[in-house]
Amino acid sequence: MLDRAAIAARIPHQGSMCLLDAVLAWDSGQIHCRASSHRQPDNPLRAAARLGAACGIEYAAQAMAVHGALLAPEGAPPRPGYLASVRSVQLAVDRLDDLAQDLDIVAERLSGDEHNILYHFRVEHAGDLLLSGRAAVMLVAQPESSPA
């Protein structure tokens, strides 16, 4: 299990923008994270005094970023990536900030290569599905080494 500090050490999101509290489990195919930041009044994703359900996509994206960092070869920095698209997103609620318990975020790697990764994600609260979808992550090209 990784705590918030260990997560922040692996992703570019810092301070209140690091939304995840813990990695509960992970392997090469998926990651399961937990978050409580949806209840924080200073959540940076809040707009008009609320946190809309679509913001759950950012929670899932951060879980994917942590997953990529955990899969990086030992001693190598994780490859930066960008959320290129989300598809088939289904929102079962309007907002996240009024939910009393922690969020469970699961991202499952469906396919990928050295350039792109496709994930299925879901965000749950007390066993109820809040949102789900697929996300494509585009990895930044690694600079080629010049011959010595």
Side-chain angles (χ1 to χ4, degrees), residues 73-117:
E74 191 169 330
R79 286 188 56 197
Y82 297 96
L83 191 60
S85 71
V86 291
R87 307 281 172 129
S88 303
V89 174
Q90 295 183 337
L91 305 175
V93 295
D94 292 328
R95 57 194 298 175
L96 302 176
D97 57 301
D98 59 353
L99 300 171
Q101 295 182 29
D102 290 349
L103 301 178
D104 283 298
I105 302 101
V106 176
E108 178 186 0
R109 184 179 171 137
L110 300 176
S111 64
D113 59 25
E114 64 274 4
H115 305 291
N116 302 289
I117 303 170

Side-chain angles (χ1 to χ4, degrees), residues 126-142:
D128 293 328
L129 182 65
L130 304 175
L131 66 135
S132 65
R134 292 188 327 263
V137 176
M138 184 172 52
L139 299 174
V140 174
Q142 292 181 327

Side-chain angles (χ1 to χ4, degrees), residues 1-76:
M1 186 167 119
L2 298 178
D3 65 10
R4 182 177 164 74
I7 292 168
R10 289 171 168 79
I11 63 175
H13 308 83
Q14 299 299 304
S16 62
M17 195 56 210
C18 179
L19 302 173
L20 305 175
D21 293 323
V23 173
L24 303 178
W26 70 278
D27 59 28
S28 62
Q30 72 176 9
I31 189 165
H32 177 191
C33 300
R34 180 146 300 148
S36 62
S37 61
H38 63 290
R39 296 188 301 263
Q40 300 300 321
D42 66 342
N43 185 307
L45 301 179
R46 278 180 167 258
R50 65 189 297 273
L51 185 66
C55 293
I57 295 168
E58 177 61 24
Y59 283 80
Q62 288 191 23
M64 293 172 221
V66 175
H67 190 241
L70 290 169
L71 292 176
E74 191 169 330

